[in-house]
């Protein structure tokens, strides 16, 4: 019989970014320390937290913000912090890989070791969120990482809208899902508020896969000079932690810096997941349509 594990405490944070790397990294470290003081073991920082969400514009100079994965100064700093505190920290960054560029995240274990990289798979392209100008589609596939405290699946922002991504990670053994995010208002339609939709979709992933889920979003208003003038996004925060039935167990508001912490008994949740039967009763042989774009012709 396996030795029972201690409950695992996870954390979501949110803060307003400046466009100065050192300020944002200092803020992230301060909030990681706050989460650790509250007992957190795995701490999620928001997407691309080193600066403003630059994808509001298509600008060549913003491509210069990318840095190679190996030797990345923010990752190195977070490795030192993770080792000091004994916590796991997924670190989002803009990656340069020769002539390719990715929206990536490095998973830092509690001893400071780098467990590897995930590159964002789904790349959005719409007003204010023009990521296809900057990022190649990720080539890592959906991955899980065995950390000191749990086996985790980590995907990035737009990935969170795709149930296939969540299911792929849990099929590989992910016990908790993490989604760092940058989402807010729509520059072309200030009356469009996707916040509740955004939350419900991820609550569905948690409930459908019977796993906890952690989402960290930024707050604040950011103005970017674009080729057509100024573009403004107000990021709506609402970072949250959901339990294995999709219930929200901790939530932030749309304006304030915050650090959320929730604790889960993963052994108990594993038993519930197995008993509920959603993985026992799967029929993969019937899902071939998922390998198509049009419902007919498979992608080879």
């Amino acid at each position: 019989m396996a030795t029972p594990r201690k409950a695992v405490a996870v954390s979501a944070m949110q803060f307003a970014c400046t466009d100065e790397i050192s300020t944002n990294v200092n803020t992230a470290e301060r909030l990681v320390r706050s989460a650790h003081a509250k007992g957190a073991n795995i701490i999620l920082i928001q997407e691309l937290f080193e600066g403003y969400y630059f994808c509001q514009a298509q600008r060549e100079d913003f491509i210069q913000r990318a840095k190679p994965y190996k030797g990345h100064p923010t990752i190195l700093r977070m490795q030192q912090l993770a080792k000091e505190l004994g916590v796991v920290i997924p670190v989002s960054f803009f990656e340069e890989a020769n002539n390719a560029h990715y929206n990536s995240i490095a998973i830092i274990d509690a001893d400071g070791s780098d467990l590897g990289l995930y590159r964002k798979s789904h790349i959005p392209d719409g007003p204010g969120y023009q990521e296809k100008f900057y990022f190649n589609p990720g080539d890592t596939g959906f991955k899980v990482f065995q950390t000191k405290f749990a086996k985790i699946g980590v995907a990035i922002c737009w990935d969170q809208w795709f149930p296939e991504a969540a299911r792929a990670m849990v099929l590989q053994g992910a016990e908790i899902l993490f989604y760092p995010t940058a989402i807010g208002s729509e520059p072309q339609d200030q009356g469009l508020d996707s916040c509740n939709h955004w939350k419900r979709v991820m609550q569905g992933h948690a409930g459908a896969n019977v796993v906890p889920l952690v989402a960290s979003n930024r707050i604040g208003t950011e103005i970017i000079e674009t080729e057509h003038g100024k573009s403004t996004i107000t990021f709506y925060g609402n970072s949250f932690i959901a339990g294995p039935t999709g219930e929200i167990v901790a939530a932030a508001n749309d304006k304030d810096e915050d650090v959320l912490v929730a604790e889960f008994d993963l052994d108990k949740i594993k038993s519930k997941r197995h008993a509920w039967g959603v993985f026992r009763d799967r029929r993969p042989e019937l899902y071939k349509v998922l390998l198509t774009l049009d419902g007919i012709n498979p992608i080879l």
Side-chain angles (χ1 to χ4, degrees), residues 2-284:
T3 302
R5 292 179 292 176
K6 291 177 61 178
V8 174
V10 297
S11 177
M13 67 173 66
Q14 64 180 36
F15 61 91
C17 290
T18 71
D19 209 25
E20 183 176 284
I21 292 174
S22 61
T23 299
N24 296 320
V25 175
N26 286 342
T27 299
E29 177 172 336
R30 173 173 57 81
L31 297 181
V32 167
R33 291 185 181 279
S34 175
H36 171 256
K38 294 180 178 182
N41 306 121
I42 308 174
I43 303 168
L44 185 65
I45 309 171
Q46 61 215 33
E47 181 188 17
L48 298 172
F49 64 90
E50 289 185 302
Y52 281 163
Y53 179 73
F54 52 85
C55 305
Q56 288 197 62
Q58 295 187 15
R59 285 175 41 178
E60 290 184 22
D61 58 317
F62 285 165
I63 298 174
Q64 298 171 16
R65 297 179 179 220
K67 297 184 182 71
Y69 171 34
K70 296 302 181 184
H72 192 291
T74 298
I75 295 174
L76 293 175
R77 179 167 169 181
M78 291 299 157
Q79 285 183 265
Q80 294 174 343
L81 182 62
K83 183 177 182 179
E84 175 193 340
L85 301 180
V87 298
V88 175
I89 309 174
V91 183
S92 172
F93 69 104
F94 183 11
E95 180 193 3
E96 178 185 276
N98 296 320
N99 288 305
H101 297 82
Y102 298 100
N103 188 336
S104 299
I105 193 158
I107 312 304
I108 310 305
D109 206 358
D111 62 357
S113 61
D114 185 341
L115 297 180
L117 184 73
Y118 168 71
R119 291 168 169 163
K120 186 174 181 177
S121 299
H122 302 95
I123 310 300
D125 187 26
Y129 302 89
Q130 300 175 71
E131 295 195 15
K132 280 186 167 67
F133 182 77
Y134 298 99
F135 308 129
N136 295 79
D139 58 0
T140 58
F142 302 110
K143 301 172 69 174
V144 298
F145 301 88
Q146 181 63 66
T147 73
K148 176 181 178 181
F149 302 106
K151 196 175 226 183
I152 66 173
V154 184
I156 302 170
C157 201
W158 191 225
D159 289 331
Q160 67 208 177
W161 294 85
F162 296 84
E164 300 90 342
R167 179 52 55 91
M169 290 185 284
V170 180
L171 278 173
Q172 295 175 78
E175 299 173 286
I176 312 170
L177 297 176
F178 292 83
Y179 291 97
T181 301
I183 190 170
S185 59
E186 305 290 336
Q188 85 286 3
D189 183 357
Q190 291 299 315
L192 177 58
D193 183 357
S194 63
C195 182
N196 289 331
H197 186 186
W198 172 76
K199 288 189 286 188
R200 286 192 294 264
V201 166
M202 284 185 282
Q203 289 176 259
H205 299 334
N209 291 285
V210 196
V211 294
L213 184 149
V214 182
S216 290
N217 189 23
R218 65 177 66 194
I219 54 171
T221 298
E222 299 179 12
I223 301 172
I224 298 288
E225 290 288 348
T226 79
E227 62 274 27
H228 305 298
K230 293 182 178 180
S231 178
T232 301
I233 293 179
T234 298
F235 294 90
Y236 53 58
N238 275 271
S239 301
F240 70 94
I241 301 171
T245 65
E247 76 281 17
I248 291 181
V249 298
N253 65 25
D254 63 349
K255 293 182 176 64
D256 297 321
E257 180 178 289
D258 209 344
V259 175
L260 309 174
V261 176
E263 188 174 85
F264 296 101
D265 182 334
L266 297 182
D267 288 335
K268 184 176 180 180
I269 292 171
K270 179 181 178 180
S271 294
K272 175 183 283 190
R273 183 166 57 249
H274 291 176
W276 199 245
V278 292
F279 289 91
R280 179 197 64 211
D281 297 337
R282 292 183 68 251
R283 296 290 304 280

